[in-house]
Amino acid sequence: MTRATDVPVDSDKTVAARLRASYAQADEATPSSDTLLINEQSRLLEAGGRRVYKFGFGQSPFPVFAPVVSALAEHAAQKAYLPVQGLPALRERVAAFQSRVDETRWDAERVLVGPGSKLLLFALIKSLPAADILIPAPAWVSYAPQARMAGQRAVRLEASYDDRWQVTAETLERHCRERPERLKVLIHNAPGNPTGLAPDAETQQRLAEVVRRHGVVVLADEIYGLLHHRGEYRAFARDYPEGTVTTGGLSKWCGAGGWRLGVAHVPAALGDELFQRLLGVASETWSSVASPIQQAAITAYTACPELDAYLQRQRAVLGEVGGWCAARLNAAGVRTHVPDGGFYVFPDFAAHSQRLAARGIDTSHELTRRLLDEAGVALLPGSAFGCPPEQLTVRLAYVDFDGGELLAASGEVLGLSALRHTRDGIDAIVAWLERD
């Protein structure tokens, strides 16, 4: 009797070999997210005894709003599957909360609750018909891979330092005129990742005029909206309510990134098919967000003076720290816009290009590699966000501090010990730059 282990194996026909051959003939693979990779790399270096200034991973440094933690504990035993669309009570609370802060209407029956806004954005892109997904450069690392994974065409809209890394109405108009037969979908993220910047009202209204004229769908990723440092973020749906799908969630303003709860609103003006397709994707993938998380989110989306104070303190801290980081880098000849919101700045080292080239550095990837190896500063290259490799830009997430201590403090924070590591990290960049 011949056993399976006795059968000769053709090394060119093994499962692994067939996989390798198939991948070689397939479209471009989807690599791991740069933001997640830099976080793991920083951890490994620290485990090996290196001192690392962790400016690479954009995670809120603040504790989850305490009443939300209590609500999670209270409902921890709940284990039932919930409706695919989300708890009706949560959707009602989200709609009321977002209608107030966005100053535009959210309808509870058009809200979908998902496991983080990241997956909601992918589900939205997947639910659309064939389209050109217009993505600013720079923009968050996952938009373009998600578009490709969903079978859509990703189109980069270049931005510049002089335009505050914002897509101009003229640039948008030009791309909307190309291949007019195809649906256009604009990704709009403000305050933005990786820049921390947002358009002013006039700039946004001009963008809205363009998308309305060309029938563009806008996916407004407003996950950082409530962390606008002056509390002045302007929802894109205020200027284009009929064509804007808005996403948000708990990860940034509520400090609950690992809880994975996001929300999306699809306006009725876009019709029912998109929303029904979105529900179909949800039902065949994540089914429903965990019961205890949804129950806790009801508390998170309930406006109260304590929540307002929690948000205002975060804004004050982030505004002060972001302003200091930008000023320190600008003083060293690294041009950096003062951020409007969130916890990022997007420094441009172009003024140092000749000195850096003499050190063998002529791409943003090499710049960040050398800064990590030689100065212990973890950053992400501008090329990870869609910028040309030779553009010497980086994303700096200024969140390497104890947010709990700064929330509890009062007044200015720059002199507090909790910020020492952040200050030292920025100084380490400057010192490394000034080396011969």
Side-chain angles (χ1 to χ4, degrees), residues 226-258:
L226 287 172
L227 292 182
H228 191 290
H229 299 161
R230 298 179 300 280
E232 298 173 356
Y233 101 94
R234 185 180 182 88
F236 202 89
R238 284 184 62 183
D239 300 308
Y240 187 46
E242 71 273 24
T244 301
V245 179
T246 306
T247 63
L250 298 183
S251 63
K252 309 304 178 184
W253 63 266
C254 200

Side-chain angles (χ1 to χ4, degrees), residues 3-22:
R3 296 174 300 175
T5 53
D6 295 330
V7 177
V9 176
D10 185 338
S11 61
D12 291 332
K13 295 182 179 179
T14 64
V15 173
R18 288 181 180 274
L19 276 173
R20 286 193 297 270
S22 297

Side-chain angles (χ1 to χ4, degrees), residues 274-287:
L274 173 59
F275 194 66
Q276 291 305 315
R277 286 175 177 267
L278 185 57
L279 289 176
V281 172
S283 68
E284 298 294 356
T285 52
W286 66 77
S287 298

Side-chain angles (χ1 to χ4, degrees), residues 99-121:
S99 294
R100 179 176 68 90
V101 300
D102 287 5
E103 299 183 35
T104 188
R105 181 173 176 176
W106 280 48
D107 297 312
E109 63 271 18
R110 307 288 295 188
V111 170
L112 174 62
V113 179
S117 63
K118 185 174 187 176
L119 192 50
L120 282 169
L121 283 162

Side-chain angles (χ1 to χ4, degrees), residues 97-98 101 191 222-228 231 233 253 311 315:
F97 183 92
Q98 294 291 161
V101 300
E222 297 181 356
I223 194 72
Y224 297 95
L226 287 172
L227 292 182
H228 191 290
Y233 101 94
W253 63 266
L311 290 171
R315 294 168 184 150

